[in-house]
């Protein structure tokens, strides 16, 4: 069975580790990270060219099953994959981790779009943007706040606003590391996507310890499709 895993997450990487001895696995990366971790299987890099491009690829590469293991916020790829698989008649499942839920002591404010943050975080605040470089154009309204955006790769261009800067760091970080970082930088607010999982949960635990409010972006709408919520369940789904 030839399985295409749309990757770019630690869950996709773990799944590939579990199944590559059993199936013929091809991983696909968008090419967003300059130095990605080796997935240990045949890996293609770069977009497919929309739904039509993916339909053509599925046929050419004789793919039997697509596992969409992309990030919960990689909505375009997820919709493209669902549509392309429907057109090509290829079986398809979304592997997605559960979203985070607030615990006692958390102070979360929910938004659909980051443009809403402007009306929530007051001027003068120091803000940690844990949302990735690609989201920065959505924070143009946050004038008068000090912005810190954490990125995995050293940035190749200057921060787009004079009131902010990049901080380079590759997750995971321990709660203690996050507490120390937020204290050292005088962080007063966090802006976070509801990515879920344990790897990047520590920033939320640190925020709770320090009593910091968090603006949490809700997940985008998913297409109608089979969904599994863990690598183990995905392995079982494939075995069926
Ligand atoms: P996106 O907005 O949903 O996708 C934009 C385009 O990138 C897609 O239309 C597709 O191009 C291409 N693409 C995305 N994922 C791909 C993959 N795994 N293989 C081949 N092409 C892919 O995605 P994104 O939010 O930019 O995320 C890009 C990658 O980073 C994904 O693999 C995702 O898992 C990972 N990631 C995203 C986030 C996040 O917060 N969004 C966080 C961590 C990791 P074509 O239309 O040309 O096929």
């Amino acid at each position: 069975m030839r399985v295409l895993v749309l990757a770019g997450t630690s869950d996709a990487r773990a799944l590939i580790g579990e199944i590559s001895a059993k199936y013929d696995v091809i991983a696909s990366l968008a090419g967003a990270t300059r130095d990605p971790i080796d997935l240990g299987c045949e890996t293609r890099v770069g977009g497919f060219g929309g739904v039509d491009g993916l339909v053509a690829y599925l046929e050419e590469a004789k793919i039997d099953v697509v596992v969409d293991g992309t990030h919960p916020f990689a909505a375009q790829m997820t919709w493209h994959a669902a549509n392309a698989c429907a057109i090509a008649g290829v079986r398809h499942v979304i592997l997605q981790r559960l979203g985070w839920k607030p615990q006692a002591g958390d102070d979360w404010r929910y938004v659909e779009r980051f443009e809403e943050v402007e009306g929530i975080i007051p001027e003068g605040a120091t803000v940690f943007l844990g949302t990735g470089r690609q989201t920065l154009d959505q924070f143009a309204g946050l004038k008068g706040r000090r912005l810190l955006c954490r990125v995995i790769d050293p940035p190749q261009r200057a921060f787009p606003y004079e009131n902010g800067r990049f901080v380079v760091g590759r997750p995971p970080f321990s709660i203690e590391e996050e507490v120390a970082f937020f204290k050292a930088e005088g962080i007063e607010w966090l802006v976070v996507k509801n990515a879920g999982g344990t790897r990047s949960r520590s920033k939320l635990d640190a925020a709770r310890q320090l009593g910091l409010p968090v603006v949490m972006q809700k997940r985008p709408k998913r297409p109608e499709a089979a969904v599994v919520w863990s690598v183990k369940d995905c392995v079982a789904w494939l075995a069926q």
Side-chain angles (χ1 to χ4, degrees):
M1 185 163 80
R2 253 166 106 68
V3 183
L4 174 67
V5 179
L6 302 172
T9 60
S10 53
D11 287 341
R13 193 164 67 240
L15 175 75
I16 291 165
E18 292 284 327
I19 64 172
S20 51
K22 194 168 175 197
Y23 307 120
D24 187 5
V25 179
I26 303 175
S28 177
L29 291 170
T33 306
R34 280 202 289 278
D35 188 16
I37 298 168
D38 181 13
L39 293 170
C41 70
E42 181 184 341
T43 303
R44 61 163 304 287
V45 180
F48 296 94
V51 175
D52 292 347
L54 182 52
V55 169
Y57 175 84
L58 295 175
E59 283 165 7
E60 227 170 79
K62 299 191 177 0
I63 300 297
D64 299 302
V65 184
V66 172
V67 177
D68 178 358
T70 59
H71 193 270
F73 283 83
Q76 184 165 304
M77 187 68 248
T78 291
W79 281 89
H80 285 186
N83 292 337
C85 288
I87 294 167
V90 169
R91 279 172 295 161
H92 165 247
V93 66
I94 298 173
L95 164 61
Q96 196 166 95
R97 54 187 104 148
L98 289 166
W100 292 313
K101 296 226 165 62
Q103 301 177 12
D106 279 330
D107 175 7
W108 293 3
R109 328 286 167 92
Y110 295 93
V111 294
E112 308 267 353
R113 296 174 310 108
F114 287 136
E115 285 80 359
E116 299 166 47
V117 174
E118 188 187 340
I120 299 175
I121 299 183
E123 286 203 23
T126 296
V127 184
F128 172 73
L129 301 176
T131 56
R133 183 189 353 232
Q134 285 162 328
T135 61
L136 277 177
D137 57 344
Q138 296 165 56
F139 293 106
L142 283 186
K143 293 183 183 67
R145 291 82 166 171
R146 185 172 157 255
L147 308 178
L148 273 84
C149 173
R150 188 157 62 199
V151 291
I152 294 176
D153 289 320
Q156 288 182 323
R157 63 176 177 114
F159 201 81
Y161 314 116
E162 60 178 18
N163 55 325
R165 65 183 165 87
F166 290 114
V167 186
V168 178
R170 190 180 282 269
F173 304 98
S174 67
I175 300 172
E176 294 71 27
E177 284 169 331
E178 294 292 47
V179 166
F181 169 65
F182 294 158
K183 277 188 176 168
E185 293 289 355
I187 299 295
E188 296 166 293
W189 283 81
L190 277 72
V191 183
V192 170
K193 294 173 177 176
N194 195 343
T198 49
R199 245 170 96 79
S200 55
R201 162 98 221 177
S202 55
K203 57 180 173 277
L204 298 172
D205 297 326
R208 187 173 53 252
Q209 271 191 27
L210 296 171
L212 301 179
V214 175
V215 179
M216 180 68 71
Q217 188 186 29
K218 293 182 193 167
R219 289 184 171 190
K221 194 171 176 300
R222 259 195 331 270
E224 288 289 324
V227 184
V228 286
W229 298 102
S230 69
V231 169
K232 190 168 158 254
D233 287 351
C234 195
V235 171
W237 188 93
L238 286 167
Q240 285 170 15

